[in-house]
Amino acid sequence: MAKNSSLTAAKSAKEDEFYTQLSDIEKELKHYRSHFEGKVVYLNCDDPRVSNFFHYFSYNFEKLGLKKLIATCYKSQDIDLFSEHNTEQAVYLEYEGDKDGDLVPGPNEIGIKPLKGDGDFRSSESIELLKQADIVVTNPPFSLFREHVAQLIDHNKKFLLIGSQNAITYKDVFRLFKEDKLWQGYNSGDMAFQVPDHYPPRETRFWVDESGTKWRSLGNACWFTNLDTPKRHEDLILYKSYSPAEFPTYDNYDAIEVGRTEHIPADYDGVMGVPITFLSRYNPDQFEIVGSDHEVKDGLLPWLVREGWTGKVDRAYLNGKRMYARILIRRKGAPA
Amino acid sequence: MKMTIQPTKVTVRELTSGYQDHAEAGVVGYGGKLDIRPPYQREFVYDDKQRDAVIDTLFKDYPLNVMYWAVRDDVPEGDERIYEVMDGQQRTISICQYVDSVFAFEGRYFHNLQPDESARILDYELTVYLCSGPPSEKLAWFRTINIAGEELTDQEMLNAVYAGPWVSEAKKIFSKNGCPAYGLGSAYMKGSPIRQQYLETVIKWFNDGDVESYMAAHHHDPNANELWLYFQAVIAWVNSTFPKYRGLMKGLPWGVLYNQYKGTSWDSAKLEARIADLVQNDDVTNKKGAYLYVLSGQEKHLNIRAFSPAERLAAYERQAGVCPVCGEHYELNEMEADHITPWREGGRTSAENCQMLCVEDNRRKGAR
């Protein structure tokens, strides 16, 4: 079989094809049911032959009240992955609900249409399908996460994506957090994914189950979405009071160090540096995101650098010690 | 009012009608009348296998174990929840979530089942024991059934029996993962907030060990501020009295110490110096006890090392079996070892500081 695109190469080289378990999809999706009524859902980085996303949405089509389900099926690769379904041709699937009354999606009810290209989400064919869609739900290749999010924002689509928490520190992704155009969903942390058979074993976070299926896991997986949830309007309960001894001011930033999200003092009006895991509990009604250490480094927040400071600003420093990545926040409604 | 226990049959159809999961704010079912999980209760803990086993049982029409519901004795106006799940919460949530199509069993969601299959599930009958009566009697009963059922801690049972706004507010502070009480006190507390060990400990401190009567007295309070303020005061007192933290401090009865010694003004620098000394002293076999000892002065907390048989025998031979107080001769087994310079005055547990006294004189010395 011919090698067909740079994406194939990228996918093989990066080993970022991770298949999400049905139960992980269920645990997250149960919180968004009300968003799907009458909507067209598009799975644009999918392989419906193995994807649990396709399973979830096709089997729940009536329950969610979907209008249409579309999934592009990326052109099969030259490697022996799920070989019985191997095909030279990339296709896309359309499903519009149960027609024969057996209450489950059947082969005759799923329309399979050929694609000219390879089904890459960036191809013009895929973009035409994206335009029809209301909500995109998928687990994009991690190496293309940034690009994938950018596309969805450009096309003004709703989405629900699995990524790594590291993506928060990407400049473009962080800006979306700050502008309230994207936030974290419900579940984060450990997540196990099925991986293609040809992926080599690894020392850690890798195992083969009794049926010979290979698995990998991420310790910092999380969902990213722009669908509103009650969770992001829950106030974090604050119980600490500010004291200069407990919350020292950084050497270089005009902000205090708060090492743990739950220790945010209830009564501090200025800027506070918090770990990036803060975002899993971020409520925009309670706090405002001022920026990040990245942005200070890039000169976007000159007013946050302490007067007279001439040293490094790439990260926050405390008594000469370089801190972990910090997000800079302020209590909403605090006097400026 | 006498307690009654009434067996009844509830179909899955009835159980799951009106099922709503409000996450943190609780879960209801049985037409809104059943409080399946009160606010801030332990989160759903079944894993996928356990959950699937419950559904498998329904499909096969095998019997599930009996469940227990409490009939609430004081339902506030406008609150429809007249029953509360005491035993069977995980099974109930599994069933309700399945019928609500939250998860698939063997690939299919509930609404994908053929009509005869779904009817069979909905017609499945659960055996439920309804228990009504005063909280104290319910509690006694729950403690008994809990031996057989799913393991609830005593505090979990108390929370169920005294459910109400006070319990909800207290759980918000003391019983969630990452709750404020954990954030404030985890360096000093043992146990898990979610299994209610924080709440139980703090009530015990506050009310001299009597959790139940405290909860009965505060059953209808609108919030748990009293307990929260108390806990904050305890932790603040510990911080200011013992500013230097040691791992030894985790799990000490801080509330009990606070209650007894908060009125005394302590010199924290002196306390620290004494503790530093005690934890390095080989005679002290219970290092944690150093904190209790510096406050109470009671040596029993330190579990001071006893004289060894060789040290005792050496002293006995040196004295030729004569008690230095009364001057009489005794056999070795009629005498007891004593610190010549008392331990609290710096005398060590060593051969040079050992003397043998007759039992009577040793008791008399100890009583001085």
Side-chain angles (χ1 to χ4, degrees):
Chain A
M1 259 179 248
K3 302 245 180 197
N4 27 48
S5 81
S6 62
L7 178 58
T8 309
K11 277 183 148 184
S12 308
K14 303 251 192 232
E15 291 175 14
D16 56 7
E17 232 175 316
F18 281 41
Y19 294 106
T20 316
Q21 293 183 88
L22 185 59
S23 61
D24 284 323
I25 296 170
E26 289 166 347
K27 273 169 204 147
E28 185 70 17
L29 267 295
K30 71 173 184 179
H31 298 287
Y32 303 85
R33 284 178 170 188
S34 60
H35 292 282
F36 286 96
E37 171 104 51
K39 296 291 161 59
V40 177
V41 170
Y42 180 30
L43 317 173
N44 73 346
C45 295
D46 212 62
D47 188 339
R49 297 160 307 194
V50 290
S51 165
N52 286 313
F53 284 103
F54 190 78
H55 186 98
Y56 181 85
F57 283 105
S58 60
Y59 276 70
N60 275 300
F61 194 94
E62 282 78 20
K63 181 82 182 172
L64 294 169
L66 296 186
K67 192 170 155 196
K68 191 175 181 182
L69 174 63
I70 310 170
T72 37
C73 177
Y74 184 71
K75 186 168 182 171
S76 204
Q77 292 147 58
D78 49 347
I79 302 147
D80 184 30
L81 162 66
F82 309 106
S83 52
E84 66 270 29
H85 296 298
N86 246 352
T87 167
E88 274 292 332
Q89 181 85 49
V91 295
Y92 72 98
L93 272 52
E94 283 185 323
Y95 180 63
E96 294 184 67
D98 181 46
K99 299 283 189 277
D100 60 9
D102 70 352
L103 305 175
V104 290
N108 301 331
E109 293 159 339
I110 300 171
I112 301 179
K113 299 185 181 170
L115 287 168
K116 293 189 195 73
D118 63 4
D120 185 326
F121 71 86
R122 297 165 293 188
S123 68
S124 57
E125 290 172 306
S126 295
I127 290 171
E128 283 312 307
L129 293 171
L130 175 65
K131 286 178 183 166
Q132 292 183 41
D134 298 301
I135 307 175
V136 170
V137 185
T138 195
N139 175 3
F142 292 146
S143 58
L144 298 171
F145 187 83
R146 219 185 296 238
E147 217 170 322
H148 191 254
V149 171
Q151 183 194 59
L152 297 174
I153 296 284
D154 280 352
H155 286 85
N156 201 19
K157 296 300 174 189
K158 294 287 180 192
F159 56 83
L160 192 48
L161 310 172
I162 295 181
S164 145
Q165 267 171 328
N166 294 341
I168 293 167
T169 55
Y170 302 163
K171 282 174 203 172
D172 347 1
V173 176
F174 181 74
R175 195 175 314 123
L176 296 171
F177 267 102
K178 196 170 150 182
E179 291 167 0
D180 220 14
K181 289 182 178 162
L182 171 155
W183 43 87
Q184 267 188 253
Y186 278 77
N187 296 287
S188 59
D190 262 309
M191 220 183 270
F193 302 87
Q194 198 186 324
V195 293
D197 289 342
H198 67 271
Y199 279 23
R202 288 159 60 106
E203 288 285 313
T204 55
R205 296 195 168 275
F206 169 85
W207 65 96
V208 182
D209 69 16
E210 59 270 22
S211 66
T213 304
K214 286 182 174 173
W215 294 83
R216 284 201 193 167
S217 70
L218 286 184
N220 62 348
C222 77
W223 292 82
F224 294 90
T225 188
N226 58 356
L227 295 167
D228 203 11
T229 62
K231 179 178 172 265
R232 70 187 276 267
H233 299 291
E234 270 169 26
D235 270 353
L236 190 65
I237 303 172
L238 305 177
Y239 50 86
K240 289 257 184 189
S241 321
Y242 169 70
S243 73
E246 192 172 2
F247 302 101
T249 301
Y250 295 124
D251 305 342
N252 53 348
Y253 298 173
D254 196 4
I256 59 167
E257 158 70 2
V258 180
R260 297 172 66 102
T261 300
E262 57 273 26
H263 290 174
I264 294 171
D267 54 358
Y268 188 73
D269 291 337
V271 177
M272 303 178 270
V274 292
I276 59 170
T277 47
F278 163 80
L279 289 176
S280 67
R281 297 158 87 175
Y282 168 51
N283 167 2
D285 313 325
Q286 191 179 17
F287 295 104
E288 120 187 48
I289 299 175
V290 174
S292 70
D293 41 19
H294 267 284
E295 293 182 336
V296 182
K297 182 188 171 195
D298 290 350
L300 298 172
L301 301 162
W303 57 274
L304 261 176
V305 179
R306 282 178 79 170
E307 251 183 72
W309 177 263
T310 52
K312 285 183 170 185
V313 293
D314 60 321
R315 281 283 177 89
Y317 285 80
L318 195 59
N319 303 321
K321 189 179 156 237
R322 186 172 189 259
M323 308 304 289
Y324 285 109
R326 288 287 181 259
I327 289 169
L328 301 157
I329 61 162
R330 185 161 48 200
R331 217 150 49 81
K332 205 103 178 183
Chain B
M1 189 168 54
K2 188 82 189 82
M3 186 182 72
T4 59
I5 299 169
Q6 186 202 337
T8 184
K9 296 279 184 192
V10 172
T11 62
V12 167
R13 186 190 317 280
E14 292 165 329
L15 180 74
T16 57
S17 76
Y19 167 72
Q20 286 193 54
D21 183 347
H22 300 295
E24 289 280 85
V27 182
V28 297
Y30 198 56
K33 292 191 294 244
L34 177 67
D35 198 349
I36 298 172
R37 194 186 70 209
Y40 305 107
Q41 178 78 293
R42 190 140 55 108
E43 284 133 45
F44 186 68
V45 292
Y46 266 16
D47 62 27
D48 296 355
K49 275 199 182 114
Q50 293 170 300
R51 182 189 77 178
D52 289 353
V54 173
I55 306 309
D56 199 26
T57 307
L58 299 196
F59 267 100
K60 292 182 170 142
D61 206 21
Y62 293 168
L64 274 177
N65 279 345
V66 171
M67 301 192 193
Y68 300 91
W69 295 1
V71 182
R72 295 171 69 182
D73 63 329
D74 55 340
V75 184
E77 191 116 2
D79 192 342
E80 287 181 67
R81 297 167 299 170
I82 53 178
Y83 303 110
E84 179 170 352
V85 175
M86 259 317 296
D87 188 312
Q89 191 192 86
Q90 309 298 324
R91 284 171 285 160
T92 304
I93 291 181
S94 297
I95 294 169
C96 289
Q97 287 193 344
Y98 178 64
V99 171
D100 192 31
S101 294
V102 171
F103 63 91
F105 177 69
E106 292 177 348
R108 289 187 302 169
Y109 294 88
F110 183 75
H111 59 263
N112 301 130
L113 301 182
Q114 293 305 307
D116 63 312
E117 292 175 300
S118 51
R120 216 165 58 229
I121 298 284
L122 292 172
D123 291 337
Y124 182 96
E125 278 188 340
L126 302 150
T127 306
V128 174
Y129 283 15
L130 295 177
C131 165
S132 49
S136 58
E137 287 197 27
K138 269 190 225 157
L139 187 67
W141 182 68
F142 289 142
R143 280 179 177 148
T144 311
I145 61 158
N146 192 46
I147 297 162
E150 160 191 340
E151 276 176 46
L152 293 177
T153 63
D154 209 48
Q155 189 62 41
E156 284 170 332
M157 287 187 272
L158 282 160
N159 288 354
V161 169
Y162 293 103
W166 183 87
V167 166
S168 299
E169 287 295 308
K171 281 183 186 162
K172 201 161 144 181
I173 297 164
F174 292 100
S175 309
K176 290 173 62 179
N177 281 333
C179 62
Y182 182 84
L184 191 65
S186 62
Y188 304 107
M189 302 284 286
K190 276 199 173 151
S192 137
I194 204 155
R195 291 310 302 263
Q196 311 302 329
Q197 283 150 325
Y198 273 49
L199 182 59
E200 181 175 41
T201 303
V202 177
I203 299 175
K204 275 185 177 158
W205 289 349
F206 190 77
N207 204 41
D208 291 333
D210 186 352
V211 179
E212 193 180 340
S213 70
Y214 183 83
M215 294 191 68
H218 296 270
H219 191 174
H220 304 288
D221 287 7
N223 60 57
N225 290 351
E226 179 183 64
L227 206 62
W228 175 224
L229 289 172
Y230 169 76
F231 184 68
Q232 293 179 69
V234 171
I235 299 299
W237 178 80
V238 178
N239 275 328
S240 65
T241 311
F242 302 104
K244 178 176 162 58
Y245 180 75
R246 286 185 181 80
L248 296 170
M249 297 170 80
K250 197 175 171 77
L252 290 175
W254 290 115
V256 176
L257 297 172
Y258 166 82
N259 296 346
Q260 200 169 349
Y261 301 111
K262 65 172 188 279
T264 314
S265 59
W266 299 97
D267 180 338
S268 59
K270 273 190 192 149
L271 290 177
E272 168 54 29
R274 293 180 64 198
I275 285 167
D277 196 39
L278 288 163
V279 297
Q280 290 171 44
N281 188 320
D282 287 341
D283 290 346
V284 176
T285 62
N286 178 26
K287 306 289 187 199
K288 273 171 146 348
Y291 289 90
L292 287 77
Y293 173 70
V294 296
L295 297 172
S296 70
Q298 291 174 331
E299 282 174 21
K300 65 173 182 189
H301 296 301
L302 300 173
N303 210 351
I304 294 163
R305 191 169 70 82
F307 289 107
S308 69
E311 288 163 340
R312 294 158 56 97
L313 187 62
Y316 182 81
E317 296 295 342
R318 200 165 57 222
Q319 297 165 212
V322 175
C323 170
V325 179
C326 61
E328 303 284 329
H329 182 272
Y330 294 91
E331 295 304 316
L332 179 60
N333 62 7
E334 294 169 326
M335 303 185 91
E336 290 172 350
D338 177 55
H339 287 82
I340 300 169
T341 307
W343 199 88
R344 66 170 65 233
E345 289 166 24
R348 290 295 152 100
T349 307
S350 59
E352 311 83 68
N353 196 36
C354 180
Q355 65 179 351
M356 299 301 286
L357 299 182
C358 71
V359 173
E360 199 179 321
D361 282 323
N362 191 40
R363 299 279 151 86
R364 210 174 283 145
K365 183 181 174 188
R368 268 202 318 255

